[in-house]
Amino acid sequence: MFPDRPTTREDPLSRFALLKAVLGPILRLLFRARVEGAEKIPRSGPVILAGNHLTFIDSVVLPLVCDRQVFFIGKDEYVTGKGLKGRLMAWFFTGVGMIPVDRDGGRGGVAALMTGRRVLEGGNIFGIYPEGTRSPDGRLYRGRTGIARLTLMTGAPVVPFAMIGTDKLQPNGAGMPRLGKVTVRFGDPMEFSRYEGMDRDRYVLRAVTDSVMAEVMRLSGQEYVDMYATKAKAA
């Protein structure tokens, strides 16, 4: 489902390269997409991209602005649809790097974590939204510690990123996005080798997660809420 060796740039004949070649210019034309700090993403080896999540199209924009292919977890419903629309969605999302996982069951979180670990151990880039879901109101919510477990288990550096403006293009998960301006801003790589072997220490996991979220907040300029987004949505 994903390469088992490190990659620096995509195979020029791959489906991802085709999608990027076709949709990349459209993205820049329609959304005036601006990318800041992309050179901070290591050109080889395992990397975790961790950022905020404002709306559905974040997962469309992010893979198209990176030189290396980004693999990420997505709902399996995106690839199980029926008819022509369902087949096209499956072709697109698996092409840009989505790995479908059933996250609704009790073991969904474990499956997502193990999938991310396999991606990283293969020397690839794994994208993750530590909030666990889209922000309900544009603010940045408390990160879940899966991001910390991944970096401590694999030794992969974390490159924080911020999606800016995507919520204006597609507010509240609306249908077709509006025209507008989007910025994707990457920060400096963060490494946590000093905590090696401590991936079961909940205090370390929280400290690592909070330090990543602090960088995401700095990059995005969002107001921070010390509460899980899922709890805010349920309130």
Side-chain angles (χ1 to χ4, degrees), residues 169-219:
L169 303 185
Q170 196 182 40
N172 299 318
M176 291 298 293
R178 307 167 180 170
L179 299 182
K181 184 177 180 180
V182 169
T183 298
V184 185
R185 183 175 295 147
F186 295 96
D188 293 320
M190 306 172 71
E191 62 89 22
F192 300 96
S193 58
R194 60 192 180 277
Y195 298 125
E196 184 179 359
M198 302 176 70
D199 57 281
R200 294 184 181 276
D201 186 314
R202 63 189 181 96
Y203 296 106
V204 169
L205 294 176
R206 175 46 54 194
V208 170
T209 302
D210 288 348
S211 65
V212 171
M213 297 308 290
E215 275 300 292
V216 174
M217 180 179 66
R218 184 184 67 80
L219 293 167

mmCIF file of all heavy atoms in Angstrom, residues 169-219:
data_model
loop_
_atom_site.group_PDB
_atom_site.id
_atom_site.type_symbol
_atom_site.label_atom_id
_atom_site.label_comp_id
_atom_site.label_asym_id
_atom_site.label_seq_id
_atom_site.Cartn_x
_atom_site.Cartn_y
_atom_site.Cartn_z
ATOM 1 N N LEU A 169 -12.279 28.705 2.758
ATOM 2 C CA LEU A 169 -12.640 28.165 1.452
ATOM 3 C C LEU A 169 -13.742 27.124 1.548
ATOM 4 O O LEU A 169 -14.547 26.970 0.631
ATOM 5 C CB LEU A 169 -11.419 27.530 0.781
ATOM 6 C CG LEU A 169 -10.190 28.412 0.581
ATOM 7 C CD1 LEU A 169 -9.134 27.665 -0.208
ATOM 8 C CD2 LEU A 169 -10.554 29.700 -0.119
ATOM 9 N N GLN A 170 -13.745 26.390 2.647
ATOM 10 C CA GLN A 170 -14.721 25.312 2.814
ATOM 11 C C GLN A 170 -15.220 25.304 4.255
ATOM 12 O O GLN A 170 -14.926 24.391 5.030
ATOM 13 C CB GLN A 170 -14.085 23.969 2.452
ATOM 14 C CG GLN A 170 -15.093 22.854 2.216
ATOM 15 C CD GLN A 170 -14.401 21.535 1.901
ATOM 16 O OE1 GLN A 170 -13.375 21.201 2.495
ATOM 17 N NE2 GLN A 170 -14.961 20.786 0.972
ATOM 18 N N PRO A 171 -15.983 26.324 4.655
ATOM 19 C CA PRO A 171 -16.429 26.421 6.048
ATOM 20 C C PRO A 171 -17.370 25.287 6.441
ATOM 21 O O PRO A 171 -18.253 24.896 5.680
ATOM 22 C CB PRO A 171 -17.149 27.779 6.087
ATOM 23 C CG PRO A 171 -17.552 28.041 4.671
ATOM 24 C CD PRO A 171 -16.482 27.428 3.820
ATOM 25 N N ASN A 172 -17.123 24.749 7.640
ATOM 26 C CA ASN A 172 -17.989 23.714 8.209
ATOM 27 C C ASN A 172 -18.186 22.525 7.283
ATOM 28 O O ASN A 172 -19.252 21.920 7.239
ATOM 29 C CB ASN A 172 -19.359 24.307 8.579
ATOM 30 C CG ASN A 172 -19.250 25.403 9.618
ATOM 31 O OD1 ASN A 172 -18.494 25.288 10.569
ATOM 32 N ND2 ASN A 172 -19.984 26.484 9.423
ATOM 33 N N GLY A 173 -17.152 22.187 6.516
ATOM 34 C CA GLY A 173 -17.232 21.019 5.652
ATOM 35 C C GLY A 173 -18.232 21.171 4.528
ATOM 36 O O GLY A 173 -18.827 20.192 4.074
ATOM 37 N N ALA A 174 -18.433 22.396 4.047
ATOM 38 C CA ALA A 174 -19.363 22.637 2.947
ATOM 39 C C ALA A 174 -18.936 21.856 1.718
ATOM 40 O O ALA A 174 -17.846 21.294 1.664
ATOM 41 C CB ALA A 174 -19.418 24.135 2.645
ATOM 42 N N GLY A 175 -19.776 21.868 0.684
ATOM 43 C CA GLY A 175 -19.501 21.094 -0.516
ATOM 44 C C GLY A 175 -18.283 21.586 -1.278
ATOM 45 O O GLY A 175 -17.151 21.453 -0.828
ATOM 46 N N MET A 176 -18.501 22.165 -2.443
ATOM 47 C CA MET A 176 -17.394 22.646 -3.256
ATOM 48 C C MET A 176 -16.724 23.836 -2.576
ATOM 49 O O MET A 176 -17.392 24.754 -2.104
ATOM 50 C CB MET A 176 -17.905 23.058 -4.633
ATOM 51 C CG MET A 176 -18.372 21.892 -5.476
ATOM 52 S SD MET A 176 -17.032 20.707 -5.822
ATOM 53 C CE MET A 176 -15.988 21.713 -6.863
ATOM 54 N N PRO A 177 -15.378 23.842 -2.523
ATOM 55 C CA PRO A 177 -14.684 24.965 -1.892
ATOM 56 C C PRO A 177 -14.813 26.246 -2.710
ATOM 57 O O PRO A 177 -14.956 26.209 -3.927
ATOM 58 C CB PRO A 177 -13.227 24.482 -1.833
ATOM 59 C CG PRO A 177 -13.113 23.452 -2.902
ATOM 60 C CD PRO A 177 -14.457 22.787 -2.964
ATOM 61 N N ARG A 178 -14.752 27.371 -2.019
ATOM 62 C CA ARG A 178 -14.780 28.669 -2.667
ATOM 63 C C ARG A 178 -13.383 29.021 -3.173
ATOM 64 O O ARG A 178 -12.401 28.406 -2.783
ATOM 65 C CB ARG A 178 -15.223 29.742 -1.664
ATOM 66 C CG ARG A 178 -16.513 29.451 -0.946
ATOM 67 C CD ARG A 178 -16.663 30.418 0.225
ATOM 68 N NE ARG A 178 -17.894 30.191 0.976
ATOM 69 C CZ ARG A 178 -18.170 30.768 2.135
ATOM 70 N NH1 ARG A 178 -17.291 31.594 2.684
ATOM 71 N NH2 ARG A 178 -19.312 30.521 2.742
ATOM 72 N N LEU A 179 -13.328 30.034 -4.015
ATOM 73 C CA LEU A 179 -12.039 30.565 -4.420
ATOM 74 C C LEU A 179 -11.478 31.396 -3.272
ATOM 75 O O LEU A 179 -12.222 32.015 -2.522
ATOM 76 C CB LEU A 179 -12.182 31.437 -5.676
ATOM 77 C CG LEU A 179 -12.718 30.736 -6.920
ATOM 78 C CD1 LEU A 179 -12.758 31.718 -8.091
ATOM 79 C CD2 LEU A 179 -11.866 29.529 -7.274
ATOM 80 N N GLY A 180 -10.174 31.401 -3.130
ATOM 81 C CA GLY A 180 -9.585 32.162 -2.043
ATOM 82 C C GLY A 180 -8.100 31.907 -1.955
ATOM 83 O O GLY A 180 -7.480 31.375 -2.884
ATOM 84 N N LYS A 181 -7.517 32.263 -0.829
ATOM 85 C CA LYS A 181 -6.080 32.148 -0.634
ATOM 86 C C LYS A 181 -5.770 31.182 0.497
ATOM 87 O O LYS A 181 -6.380 31.241 1.559
ATOM 88 C CB LYS A 181 -5.483 33.520 -0.316
ATOM 89 C CG LYS A 181 -3.974 33.535 -0.189
ATOM 90 C CD LYS A 181 -3.467 34.944 0.055
ATOM 91 C CE LYS A 181 -1.947 34.957 0.186
ATOM 92 N NZ LYS A 181 -1.429 36.333 0.423
ATOM 93 N N VAL A 182 -4.807 30.307 0.251
ATOM 94 C CA VAL A 182 -4.392 29.308 1.239
ATOM 95 C C VAL A 182 -2.881 29.412 1.448
ATOM 96 O O VAL A 182 -2.127 29.590 0.495
ATOM 97 C CB VAL A 182 -4.744 27.875 0.766
ATOM 98 C CG1 VAL A 182 -4.090 26.838 1.655
ATOM 99 C CG2 VAL A 182 -6.240 27.679 0.751
ATOM 100 N N THR A 183 -2.464 29.299 2.702
ATOM 101 C CA THR A 183 -1.040 29.235 3.020
ATOM 102 C C THR A 183 -0.760 27.957 3.800
ATOM 103 O O THR A 183 -1.516 27.609 4.712
ATOM 104 C CB THR A 183 -0.592 30.442 3.868
ATOM 105 O OG1 THR A 183 -0.803 31.650 3.130
ATOM 106 C CG2 THR A 183 0.889 30.339 4.236
ATOM 107 N N VAL A 184 0.299 27.255 3.414
ATOM 108 C CA VAL A 184 0.773 26.096 4.173
ATOM 109 C C VAL A 184 2.163 26.467 4.680
ATOM 110 O O VAL A 184 3.067 26.720 3.884
ATOM 111 C CB VAL A 184 0.834 24.822 3.321
ATOM 112 C CG1 VAL A 184 1.202 23.628 4.198
ATOM 113 C CG2 VAL A 184 -0.495 24.573 2.621
ATOM 114 N N ARG A 185 2.315 26.490 6.001
ATOM 115 C CA ARG A 185 3.560 26.957 6.615
ATOM 116 C C ARG A 185 4.196 25.824 7.418
ATOM 117 O O ARG A 185 3.566 25.256 8.311
ATOM 118 C CB ARG A 185 3.269 28.152 7.509
ATOM 119 C CG ARG A 185 4.483 28.790 8.175
ATOM 120 C CD ARG A 185 4.049 30.043 8.935
ATOM 121 N NE ARG A 185 3.547 31.064 8.017
ATOM 122 C CZ ARG A 185 2.571 31.929 8.326
ATOM 123 N NH1 ARG A 185 1.976 31.882 9.506
ATOM 124 N NH2 ARG A 185 2.196 32.830 7.443
ATOM 125 N N PHE A 186 5.452 25.498 7.096
ATOM 126 C CA PHE A 186 6.177 24.432 7.782
ATOM 127 C C PHE A 186 7.201 25.038 8.744
ATOM 128 O O PHE A 186 7.826 26.057 8.452
ATOM 129 C CB PHE A 186 6.901 23.540 6.774
ATOM 130 C CG PHE A 186 5.972 22.789 5.863
ATOM 131 C CD1 PHE A 186 5.654 23.277 4.605
ATOM 132 C CD2 PHE A 186 5.408 21.588 6.265
ATOM 133 C CE1 PHE A 186 4.794 22.592 3.759
ATOM 134 C CE2 PHE A 186 4.540 20.895 5.437
ATOM 135 C CZ PHE A 186 4.226 21.398 4.173
ATOM 136 N N GLY A 187 7.371 24.384 9.887
ATOM 137 C CA GLY A 187 8.349 24.820 10.868
ATOM 138 C C GLY A 187 9.597 23.955 10.849
ATOM 139 O O GLY A 187 9.723 23.024 10.036
ATOM 140 N N ASP A 188 10.509 24.254 11.731
ATOM 141 C CA ASP A 188 11.756 23.495 11.824
ATOM 142 C C ASP A 188 11.498 22.095 12.385
ATOM 143 O O ASP A 188 10.632 21.915 13.250
ATOM 144 C CB ASP A 188 12.754 24.215 12.733
ATOM 145 C CG ASP A 188 13.230 25.535 12.144
ATOM 146 O OD1 ASP A 188 13.454 25.579 10.919
ATOM 147 O OD2 ASP A 188 13.364 26.514 12.910
ATOM 148 N N PRO A 189 12.268 21.110 11.915
ATOM 149 C CA PRO A 189 12.120 19.740 12.446
ATOM 150 C C PRO A 189 12.372 19.706 13.952
ATOM 151 O O PRO A 189 13.247 20.403 14.472
ATOM 152 C CB PRO A 189 13.188 18.953 11.684
ATOM 153 C CG PRO A 189 13.436 19.741 10.439
ATOM 154 C CD PRO A 189 13.269 21.177 10.837
ATOM 155 N N MET A 190 11.600 18.896 14.632
ATOM 156 C CA MET A 190 11.737 18.707 16.068
ATOM 157 C C MET A 190 12.123 17.250 16.321
ATOM 158 O O MET A 190 11.529 16.337 15.740
ATOM 159 C CB MET A 190 10.413 19.023 16.776
ATOM 160 C CG MET A 190 9.848 20.396 16.453
ATOM 161 S SD MET A 190 8.173 20.637 17.131
ATOM 162 C CE MET A 190 8.547 20.744 18.895
ATOM 163 N N GLU A 191 13.124 17.030 17.169
ATOM 164 C CA GLU A 191 13.499 15.648 17.481
ATOM 165 C C GLU A 191 13.491 15.467 19.003
ATOM 166 O O GLU A 191 13.767 16.383 19.762
ATOM 167 C CB GLU A 191 14.848 15.290 16.849
ATOM 168 C CG GLU A 191 16.032 16.106 17.341
ATOM 169 C CD GLU A 191 16.679 15.482 18.545
ATOM 170 O OE1 GLU A 191 16.502 14.261 18.742
ATOM 171 O OE2 GLU A 191 17.343 16.210 19.308
ATOM 172 N N PHE A 192 13.155 14.246 19.405
ATOM 173 C CA PHE A 192 12.935 13.953 20.821
ATOM 174 C C PHE A 192 13.752 12.745 21.272
ATOM 175 O O PHE A 192 13.284 11.936 22.086
ATOM 176 C CB PHE A 192 11.451 13.730 21.064
ATOM 177 C CG PHE A 192 10.597 14.920 20.699
ATOM 178 C CD1 PHE A 192 9.974 14.994 19.450
ATOM 179 C CD2 PHE A 192 10.442 15.967 21.583
ATOM 180 C CE1 PHE A 192 9.205 16.097 19.107
ATOM 181 C CE2 PHE A 192 9.671 17.081 21.250
ATOM 182 C CZ PHE A 192 9.055 17.154 20.006
ATOM 183 N N SER A 193 14.965 12.621 20.743
ATOM 184 C CA SER A 193 15.802 11.472 21.082
ATOM 185 C C SER A 193 16.118 11.409 22.575
ATOM 186 O O SER A 193 16.430 10.336 23.107
ATOM 187 C CB SER A 193 17.105 11.509 20.268
ATOM 188 O OG SER A 193 17.812 12.717 20.502
ATOM 189 N N ARG A 194 16.044 12.542 23.256
ATOM 190 C CA ARG A 194 16.329 12.552 24.697
ATOM 191 C C ARG A 194 15.308 11.733 25.483
ATOM 192 O O ARG A 194 15.545 11.392 26.652
ATOM 193 C CB ARG A 194 16.367 13.985 25.228
ATOM 194 C CG ARG A 194 15.064 14.767 25.055
ATOM 195 C CD ARG A 194 15.298 16.245 25.329
ATOM 196 N NE ARG A 194 14.117 17.071 25.180
ATOM 197 C CZ ARG A 194 13.670 17.542 24.024
ATOM 198 N NH1 ARG A 194 14.296 17.221 22.883
ATOM 199 N NH2 ARG A 194 12.599 18.315 23.976
ATOM 200 N N TYR A 195 14.176 11.438 24.865
ATOM 201 C CA TYR A 195 13.139 10.642 25.529
ATOM 202 C C TYR A 195 13.096 9.208 25.007
ATOM 203 O O TYR A 195 12.093 8.513 25.206
ATOM 204 C CB TYR A 195 11.768 11.287 25.328
ATOM 205 C CG TYR A 195 11.640 12.670 25.914
ATOM 206 C CD1 TYR A 195 11.234 13.742 25.113
ATOM 207 C CD2 TYR A 195 11.908 12.911 27.251
ATOM 208 C CE1 TYR A 195 11.100 15.022 25.643
ATOM 209 C CE2 TYR A 195 11.780 14.181 27.788
ATOM 210 C CZ TYR A 195 11.382 15.232 26.981
ATOM 211 O OH TYR A 195 11.254 16.492 27.516
ATOM 212 N N GLU A 196 14.146 8.765 24.338
ATOM 213 C CA GLU A 196 14.163 7.418 23.773
ATOM 214 C C GLU A 196 13.860 6.364 24.840
ATOM 215 O O GLU A 196 14.385 6.424 25.957
ATOM 216 C CB GLU A 196 15.534 7.129 23.149
ATOM 217 C CG GLU A 196 15.616 5.787 22.454
ATOM 218 C CD GLU A 196 16.974 5.549 21.825
ATOM 219 O OE1 GLU A 196 17.848 6.446 21.918
ATOM 220 O OE2 GLU A 196 17.167 4.455 21.250
ATOM 221 N N GLY A 197 12.983 5.419 24.492
ATOM 222 C CA GLY A 197 12.618 4.342 25.408
ATOM 223 C C GLY A 197 11.558 4.724 26.420
ATOM 224 O O GLY A 197 11.208 3.912 27.287
ATOM 225 N N MET A 198 11.003 5.946 26.299
ATOM 226 C CA MET A 198 10.020 6.415 27.285
ATOM 227 C C MET A 198 8.640 6.576 26.652
ATOM 228 O O MET A 198 7.829 7.396 27.088
ATOM 229 C CB MET A 198 10.484 7.741 27.896
ATOM 230 C CG MET A 198 11.845 7.644 28.567
ATOM 231 S SD MET A 198 12.475 9.225 29.197
ATOM 232 C CE MET A 198 11.354 9.505 30.583
ATOM 233 N N ASP A 199 8.351 5.767 25.615
ATOM 234 C CA ASP A 199 7.083 5.917 24.891
ATOM 235 C C ASP A 199 5.887 5.386 25.667
ATOM 236 O O ASP A 199 4.767 5.432 25.183
ATOM 237 C CB ASP A 199 7.168 5.232 23.519
ATOM 238 C CG ASP A 199 7.515 3.766 23.619
ATOM 239 O OD1 ASP A 199 8.703 3.439 23.808
ATOM 240 O OD2 ASP A 199 6.592 2.948 23.529
ATOM 241 N N ARG A 200 6.101 4.882 26.887
ATOM 242 C CA ARG A 200 4.975 4.451 27.724
ATOM 243 C C ARG A 200 4.795 5.357 28.948
ATOM 244 O O ARG A 200 3.937 5.097 29.785
ATOM 245 C CB ARG A 200 5.174 2.998 28.169
ATOM 246 C CG ARG A 200 5.130 2.006 27.020
ATOM 247 C CD ARG A 200 5.235 0.568 27.497
ATOM 248 N NE ARG A 200 5.212 -0.369 26.394
ATOM 249 C CZ ARG A 200 4.097 -0.826 25.830
ATOM 250 N NH1 ARG A 200 2.921 -0.439 26.275
ATOM 251 N NH2 ARG A 200 4.165 -1.692 24.829
ATOM 252 N N ASP A 201 5.604 6.389 29.021
ATOM 253 C CA ASP A 201 5.505 7.330 30.139
ATOM 254 C C ASP A 201 4.505 8.427 29.760
ATOM 255 O O ASP A 201 4.769 9.246 28.878
ATOM 256 C CB ASP A 201 6.884 7.933 30.421
ATOM 257 C CG ASP A 201 6.896 8.817 31.663
ATOM 258 O OD1 ASP A 201 5.977 9.649 31.815
ATOM 259 O OD2 ASP A 201 7.842 8.691 32.468
ATOM 260 N N ARG A 202 3.362 8.457 30.421
ATOM 261 C CA ARG A 202 2.299 9.380 30.015
ATOM 262 C C ARG A 202 2.682 10.841 30.201
ATOM 263 O O ARG A 202 2.186 11.706 29.476
ATOM 264 C CB ARG A 202 0.994 9.072 30.750
ATOM 265 C CG ARG A 202 1.021 9.240 32.254
ATOM 266 C CD ARG A 202 -0.260 8.682 32.868
ATOM 267 N NE ARG A 202 -0.316 8.835 34.306
ATOM 268 C CZ ARG A 202 -0.925 9.838 34.921
ATOM 269 N NH1 ARG A 202 -1.537 10.774 34.207
ATOM 270 N NH2 ARG A 202 -0.951 9.917 36.240
ATOM 271 N N TYR A 203 3.556 11.122 31.153
ATOM 272 C CA TYR A 203 3.983 12.507 31.351
ATOM 273 C C TYR A 203 4.897 12.957 30.209
ATOM 274 O O TYR A 203 4.801 14.094 29.729
ATOM 275 C CB TYR A 203 4.697 12.655 32.697
ATOM 276 C CG TYR A 203 3.792 12.384 33.876
ATOM 277 C CD1 TYR A 203 3.904 11.194 34.605
ATOM 278 C CD2 TYR A 203 2.807 13.302 34.246
ATOM 279 C CE1 TYR A 203 3.057 10.927 35.676
ATOM 280 C CE2 TYR A 203 1.958 13.057 35.322
ATOM 281 C CZ TYR A 203 2.096 11.863 36.028
ATOM 282 O OH TYR A 203 1.249 11.609 37.088
ATOM 283 N N VAL A 204 5.762 12.063 29.765
ATOM 284 C CA VAL A 204 6.627 12.364 28.629
ATOM 285 C C VAL A 204 5.787 12.518 27.360
ATOM 286 O O VAL A 204 5.999 13.446 26.566
ATOM 287 C CB VAL A 204 7.690 11.261 28.443
ATOM 288 C CG1 VAL A 204 8.415 11.421 27.108
ATOM 289 C CG2 VAL A 204 8.685 11.287 29.585
ATOM 290 N N LEU A 205 4.836 11.617 27.171
ATOM 291 C CA LEU A 205 3.979 11.687 25.989
ATOM 292 C C LEU A 205 3.223 13.009 25.936
ATOM 293 O O LEU A 205 3.113 13.643 24.874
ATOM 294 C CB LEU A 205 2.993 10.518 25.976
ATOM 295 C CG LEU A 205 3.590 9.124 25.814
ATOM 296 C CD1 LEU A 205 2.501 8.063 25.923
ATOM 297 C CD2 LEU A 205 4.325 8.997 24.483
ATOM 298 N N ARG A 206 2.728 13.447 27.078
ATOM 299 C CA ARG A 206 2.002 14.711 27.110
ATOM 300 C C ARG A 206 2.941 15.881 26.846
ATOM 301 O O ARG A 206 2.599 16.818 26.109
ATOM 302 C CB ARG A 206 1.298 14.861 28.471
ATOM 303 C CG ARG A 206 0.592 16.195 28.723
ATOM 304 C CD ARG A 206 -0.267 16.685 27.575
ATOM 305 N NE ARG A 206 -1.255 15.698 27.148
ATOM 306 C CZ ARG A 206 -1.927 15.802 26.011
ATOM 307 N NH1 ARG A 206 -1.710 16.815 25.181
ATOM 308 N NH2 ARG A 206 -2.806 14.882 25.670
ATOM 309 N N ALA A 207 4.140 15.842 27.414
ATOM 310 C CA ALA A 207 5.089 16.940 27.218
ATOM 311 C C ALA A 207 5.504 17.056 25.751
ATOM 312 O O ALA A 207 5.577 18.170 25.204
ATOM 313 C CB ALA A 207 6.326 16.728 28.100
ATOM 314 N N VAL A 208 5.766 15.922 25.112
ATOM 315 C CA VAL A 208 6.148 15.930 23.700
ATOM 316 C C VAL A 208 5.004 16.455 22.840
ATOM 317 O O VAL A 208 5.202 17.308 21.959
ATOM 318 C CB VAL A 208 6.566 14.517 23.245
ATOM 319 C CG1 VAL A 208 6.716 14.464 21.729
ATOM 320 C CG2 VAL A 208 7.863 14.098 23.922
ATOM 321 N N THR A 209 3.809 15.956 23.104
ATOM 322 C CA THR A 209 2.644 16.391 22.332
ATOM 323 C C THR A 209 2.411 17.886 22.482
ATOM 324 O O THR A 209 2.167 18.602 21.497
ATOM 325 C CB THR A 209 1.390 15.609 22.777
ATOM 326 O OG1 THR A 209 1.616 14.213 22.612
ATOM 327 C CG2 THR A 209 0.175 16.026 21.962
ATOM 328 N N ASP A 210 2.485 18.382 23.704
ATOM 329 C CA ASP A 210 2.245 19.802 23.948
ATOM 330 C C ASP A 210 3.299 20.681 23.281
ATOM 331 O O ASP A 210 2.993 21.783 22.801
ATOM 332 C CB ASP A 210 2.204 20.088 25.447
ATOM 333 C CG ASP A 210 0.936 19.562 26.114
ATOM 334 O OD1 ASP A 210 -0.002 19.192 25.381
ATOM 335 O OD2 ASP A 210 0.891 19.523 27.364
ATOM 336 N N SER A 211 4.543 20.196 23.222
ATOM 337 C CA SER A 211 5.578 20.999 22.570
ATOM 338 C C SER A 211 5.335 21.083 21.065
ATOM 339 O O SER A 211 5.567 22.130 20.447
ATOM 340 C CB SER A 211 6.964 20.425 22.868
ATOM 341 O OG SER A 211 7.122 19.146 22.299
ATOM 342 N N VAL A 212 4.835 19.997 20.472
ATOM 343 C CA VAL A 212 4.498 20.021 19.047
ATOM 344 C C VAL A 212 3.330 20.974 18.803
ATOM 345 O O VAL A 212 3.356 21.796 17.869
ATOM 346 C CB VAL A 212 4.160 18.607 18.533
ATOM 347 C CG1 VAL A 212 3.607 18.668 17.113
ATOM 348 C CG2 VAL A 212 5.386 17.702 18.584
ATOM 349 N N MET A 213 2.308 20.888 19.652
ATOM 350 C CA MET A 213 1.130 21.745 19.472
ATOM 351 C C MET A 213 1.484 23.217 19.679
ATOM 352 O O MET A 213 0.897 24.103 19.026
ATOM 353 C CB MET A 213 0.015 21.326 20.433
ATOM 354 C CG MET A 213 -0.510 19.913 20.199
ATOM 355 S SD MET A 213 -1.001 19.589 18.489
ATOM 356 C CE MET A 213 -2.473 20.614 18.358
ATOM 357 N N ALA A 214 2.440 23.506 20.540
ATOM 358 C CA ALA A 214 2.876 24.891 20.738
ATOM 359 C C ALA A 214 3.490 25.447 19.458
ATOM 360 O O ALA A 214 3.279 26.626 19.105
ATOM 361 C CB ALA A 214 3.879 24.974 21.886
ATOM 362 N N GLU A 215 4.229 24.600 18.741
ATOM 363 C CA GLU A 215 4.816 25.038 17.477
ATOM 364 C C GLU A 215 3.743 25.228 16.413
ATOM 365 O O GLU A 215 3.793 26.162 15.618
ATOM 366 C CB GLU A 215 5.863 24.026 16.999
ATOM 367 C CG GLU A 215 7.227 24.228 17.598
ATOM 368 C CD GLU A 215 7.785 25.595 17.248
ATOM 369 O OE1 GLU A 215 8.087 25.854 16.068
ATOM 370 O OE2 GLU A 215 7.901 26.428 18.169
ATOM 371 N N VAL A 216 2.758 24.316 16.385
ATOM 372 C CA VAL A 216 1.653 24.459 15.434
ATOM 373 C C VAL A 216 0.909 25.760 15.703
ATOM 374 O O VAL A 216 0.548 26.497 14.772
ATOM 375 C CB VAL A 216 0.701 23.249 15.516
ATOM 376 C CG1 VAL A 216 -0.526 23.475 14.629
ATOM 377 C CG2 VAL A 216 1.415 21.967 15.103
ATOM 378 N N MET A 217 0.684 26.070 16.970
ATOM 379 C CA MET A 217 -0.002 27.313 17.342
ATOM 380 C C MET A 217 0.801 28.536 16.898
ATOM 381 O O MET A 217 0.249 29.502 16.372
ATOM 382 C CB MET A 217 -0.226 27.351 18.859
ATOM 383 C CG MET A 217 -0.933 28.622 19.333
ATOM 384 S SD MET A 217 -1.214 28.640 21.129
ATOM 385 C CE MET A 217 0.476 28.728 21.735
ATOM 386 N N ARG A 218 2.112 28.471 17.080
ATOM 387 C CA ARG A 218 2.959 29.591 16.669
ATOM 388 C C ARG A 218 2.898 29.797 15.158
ATOM 389 O O ARG A 218 2.821 30.929 14.670
ATOM 390 C CB ARG A 218 4.403 29.324 17.093
ATOM 391 C CG ARG A 218 5.366 30.477 16.792
ATOM 392 C CD ARG A 218 6.791 30.111 17.143
ATOM 393 N NE ARG A 218 7.322 29.057 16.299
ATOM 394 C CZ ARG A 218 7.797 29.269 15.058
ATOM 395 N NH1 ARG A 218 7.790 30.494 14.551
ATOM 396 N NH2 ARG A 218 8.277 28.266 14.355
ATOM 397 N N LEU A 219 2.911 28.709 14.413
ATOM 398 C CA LEU A 219 2.881 28.796 12.953
ATOM 399 C C LEU A 219 1.535 29.258 12.420
ATOM 400 O O LEU A 219 1.458 29.996 11.435
ATOM 401 C CB LEU A 219 3.226 27.437 12.346
ATOM 402 C CG LEU A 219 4.655 26.929 12.553
ATOM 403 C CD1 LEU A 219 4.751 25.448 12.179
ATOM 404 C CD2 LEU A 219 5.645 27.740 11.737
#
